[in-house]
Amino acid sequence: MPASRSGSVITTRPAKAVEPPDGTRRHRLAALLAAMVPGVRTVRVSQRRPSRTWPSLYSRAYDERGRLIPLNPTQRVSAARWLIRTFPETNWDETHDLDLATGTLRTAAGTGAPSDGDH
């Protein structure tokens, strides 16, 4: 072990990973998405664009009335990536909705939300 100038032994300790409290990341993500797309209430994410048969990250944004908010291609892919990375334990073979007011992620099937037909 290396010694300091005073002769005492220098020891190193690995940095301790600090995990934020459960839900903190989800609420930060919801705030980031709300800032990126003004007026958004729900973000729907899937691994397939409705008009394609091959995997491609895709997201859609809806306001509080369930109306579609247009996203540019960068916003669509970024939102999908952020959500998938924030919720790695989720089965992404299904489409999911993130409620930005609560930070709650739920499967889109049976939520009564608008269909994912290609607009």
Side-chain angles (χ1 to χ4, degrees), residues 75-117:
Q75 289 172 322
R76 277 196 302 266
V77 173
S78 296
R81 282 182 182 157
W82 292 352
L83 264 160
I84 288 171
R85 288 179 182 164
T86 302
F87 297 90
E89 71 283 354
T90 302
N91 176 8
W92 287 105
D93 291 335
E94 299 179 36
T95 301
H96 288 77
D97 290 340
L98 176 68
D99 183 337
L100 299 188
T102 63
T104 304
L105 184 74
R106 63 186 179 279
T107 57
T111 61
S115 74
D116 262 346

Side-chain angles (χ1 to χ4, degrees), residues 59-80:
S59 63
R60 307 188 102 182
Y62 299 95
D63 65 11
E64 68 278 347
R65 292 184 175 177
R67 291 180 297 197
L68 185 66
I69 296 175
L71 298 176
N72 65 43
T74 302
Q75 289 172 322
R76 277 196 302 266
V77 173
S78 296

